[in-house]
């Protein structure tokens, strides 16, 4: 097996509960974890591949651990309480200004536009990097699941929202290492639901789920 093939047997960049980024071996019955530095050496990653994996790990880390940000109005730390709304109210600025002051959790500018929203505010330049990845990632061609066309190669876990990439090998199902929920990469249903009308290596009865336009929020 050459170095590129070794690399392709690894899947799912993710962040564990200890905050360590991990690669998990994709070989059958093997859950060996490899440090990203070693995978990068073995796989001879191109600059584009390195950028993708490192940005994905950063996105997942930010989603998991960065629950507080600095308010652009007063520079005090503000905690986001509602993960389904990018608009966050700063109580200090609200008192100082004598009106409700809200800012965008994403672009860190005073909120502009209707709310609640999970994608962006109406400020110029505000965009969601994870949604951009989901929108622009290439399609996947499964090696062992025939007659599946138009499936994105990257999905947000339907339960917790972590970005996961399928290697195109083995079956169409993935176990999310963050929330530990197994789902079908094609139809985005939980595996046990998908398998009621299909198998691990057959097209889904409901076809390919469209590209995701929002990131699921994990209600733990």
């Amino acid at each position: 097996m050459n170095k590129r093939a070794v690399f392709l047997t690894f899947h799912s960049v993710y962040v564990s509960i200890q905050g360590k980024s991990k690669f998990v071996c994709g070989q059958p019955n093997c859950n060996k974890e490899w440090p990203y530095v070693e995978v990068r050496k073995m796989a001879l990653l191109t600059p584009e591949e390195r950028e993708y994996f490192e940005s994905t790990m950063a996105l997942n880390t930010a989603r998991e651990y960065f629950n507080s940000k600095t308010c652009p109005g007063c520079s005090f730390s503000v905690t986001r309480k509602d993960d389904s709304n990018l608009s966050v109210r700063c109580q200090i600025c609200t008192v100082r200004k004598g009106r409700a002051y809200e800012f965008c959790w994403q672009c860190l500018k005073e909120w502009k536009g209707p709310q609640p929203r999970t994608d962006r505010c109406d400020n110029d330049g505000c965009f969601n990097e994870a949604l951009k990845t989901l929108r622009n990632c290439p399609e996947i061609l499964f090696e062992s699941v025939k007659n599946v066309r138009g499936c994105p190669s990257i999905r947000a876990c339907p339960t917790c929202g972590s970005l996961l990439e399928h290697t195109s090998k083995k079956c169409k199902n993935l176990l999310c290492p963050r929330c530990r929920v197994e789902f079908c990469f094609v139809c985005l249903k939980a595996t046990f639901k998908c398998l009621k009308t299909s198998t691990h290596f057959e097209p889904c009865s409901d076809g390919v789920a469209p590209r995701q336009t929002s990131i699921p929020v994990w209600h733990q």
Side-chain angles (χ1 to χ4, degrees):
M1 181 180 293
N2 61 33
K3 291 185 177 181
R4 297 294 294 175
V6 168
F7 167 66
L8 290 174
T9 63
F10 291 83
H11 62 84
S12 303
V13 179
Y14 68 101
V15 179
S16 72
I17 57 175
Q18 290 85 16
K20 298 179 181 178
S21 300
K22 299 186 288 186
F23 278 81
V24 179
C25 180
Q27 292 293 326
N29 302 316
C30 181
N31 291 317
K32 179 178 176 61
E33 298 170 8
W34 283 57
Y36 169 66
V37 173
E38 292 300 319
V39 175
R40 187 177 65 186
K41 290 179 182 177
M42 295 178 63
L44 301 177
L45 294 182
T46 66
E48 292 77 15
E49 288 169 334
R50 287 182 59 180
E51 181 181 1
Y52 161 70
F53 281 111
E54 289 168 6
S55 64
T56 300
M57 288 188 289
L59 279 171
N60 283 341
T61 301
R63 287 182 55 80
E64 180 70 19
Y65 294 101
F66 295 168
N67 294 320
S68 296
K69 291 187 177 181
T70 300
C71 170
C74 64
S75 298
F76 281 93
S77 179
V78 177
T79 300
R80 184 184 182 190
K81 298 180 180 179
D82 182 2
D83 288 337
S84 63
N85 188 8
L86 284 174
S87 177
V88 179
R89 177 169 297 188
C90 174
Q91 298 299 337
I92 294 177
C93 287
T94 294
V95 172
R96 286 180 176 178
K97 297 178 181 295
R99 61 174 176 83
Y101 179 86
E102 297 171 341
F103 68 93
C104 177
W105 195 252
Q106 193 160 259
C107 69
L108 296 180
K109 296 179 182 178
E110 185 171 1
W111 183 265
K112 184 183 294 185
Q115 56 146 314
R117 289 182 65 173
T118 60
D119 55 346
R120 55 163 296 171
C121 68
D122 286 347
N123 282 302
D124 292 338
C126 182
F127 68 93
N128 187 304
E129 190 67 36
L131 289 179
K132 181 180 178 181
T133 297
L134 294 175
R135 182 174 64 249
N136 298 330
C137 69
E139 295 180 354
I140 189 173
L141 184 62
F142 292 95
E143 294 183 5
S144 302
V145 186
K146 306 302 181 183
N147 301 316
V148 174
R149 297 290 185 273
C151 181
S153 58
I154 300 174
R155 295 287 206 180
C157 171
T159 298
C160 69
S162 290
L163 296 189
L164 303 175
E165 181 175 30
H166 201 294
T167 65
S168 80
K169 299 179 182 294
K170 308 303 179 183
C171 74
K172 61 187 180 182
N173 303 92
L174 281 184
L175 175 66
C176 177
R178 182 187 181 204
C179 64
R180 309 302 296 175
V181 175
E182 185 175 322
F183 69 97
C184 174
F185 207 79
V186 177
C187 69
L188 294 181
K189 292 181 180 179
T191 294
F192 76 91
K193 292 183 179 179
C194 175
L195 294 184
K196 289 181 179 180
T197 55
S198 179
T199 71
H200 288 87
F201 296 96
E202 293 181 340
C204 304
S205 59
D206 289 341
V208 178
R211 288 180 181 265
Q212 293 155 291
T213 57
S214 62
I215 305 295
V217 176
W218 191 9
H219 300 288
Q220 297 174 278

